[in-house]
Amino acid sequence: MNTKSVTAALAAAAAATALFVTGCSDNASSTPAKSSAAPATQAKTTPSGDSSASVDGKQLAAKFTTTCAKQAGTLALALTDTANGTYGNLSVSATITGTDTVQAVGIAGSKGGDSGQPYAVGFGNGMPGGSAKLTKDGNTYKISGEGVGAPDLTNPLAGPKTSKFDVTFACSSVVGG
């Protein structure tokens, strides 16, 4: 897989997960979207409390908002900080199916990557180059593992790098769950 497709796959996975979760969040200043699908319960976003994320042992300094929603056996978790000084629009997301299968983890920032590029680390179940493990305590979900980071475009022969991540989603509640 070439570096452009890895970067595109990471960005797409992070964006899709963030959009799924954001689409379920409650934003009082917006009008709900019309849909022909059955109505879904809307998730409430809350200040993060104990939610956190670290990559390669370095804590991401952020003022996260946490969103947690479950629908049809899929749990979507998201941490967002839309005005992060280091990463710009920072989102950390995970999708879990069944009781403990981590399908995807995405950590993405609109800035803060190598050589002025966006920041991205991602894991996708079944894709090479990563792993993820879930532990749960009530409505707190901890996911740790290893993901593939966006390659340094100034050195494309180096290929994508791997990064260890630890994410805690402290959900005040799980809508639909």
Side-chain angles (χ1 to χ4, degrees):
M1 184 178 280
N2 68 37
T3 57
K4 285 185 180 181
S5 62
V6 169
T7 302
L10 288 172
T17 303
L19 286 173
F20 173 76
V21 174
T22 304
C24 295
S25 69
D26 182 21
N27 184 345
S29 65
S30 67
T31 304
K34 303 277 184 198
S35 171
S36 60
T41 306
Q42 292 200 345
K44 296 206 186 280
T45 57
T46 59
S48 69
D50 295 331
S51 294
S52 63
S54 65
V55 176
D56 289 331
K58 180 183 173 195
Q59 190 74 20
L60 300 179
K63 294 179 183 177
F64 286 124
T65 298
T66 304
T67 305
C68 308
K70 186 172 188 175
Q71 185 173 11
T74 299
L75 177 63
L77 305 167
L79 306 177
T80 55
D81 180 352
T82 59
N84 188 277
T86 303
Y87 300 102
N89 189 0
L90 176 63
S91 67
V92 180
S93 57
T95 305
I96 299 163
T97 57
T99 57
D100 63 356
T101 302
V102 179
Q103 291 296 327
V105 175
I107 303 169
S110 58
K111 64 180 187 175
D114 290 332
S115 303
Q117 297 296 310
Y119 183 78
V121 174
F123 160 78
N125 193 8
M127 297 296 292
S131 63
K133 179 183 173 213
L134 169 72
T135 56
K136 180 183 175 203
D137 182 11
N139 281 346
T140 299
Y141 301 85
K142 295 182 181 188
I143 301 174
S144 58
E146 186 172 74
V148 177
D152 180 354
L153 297 179
T154 62
N155 186 9
L157 297 177
K161 59 186 173 187
T162 58
S163 297
K164 293 187 183 296
F165 58 81
D166 290 294
V167 183
T168 300
F169 299 92
C171 305
S172 60
S173 65
V174 177
V175 173

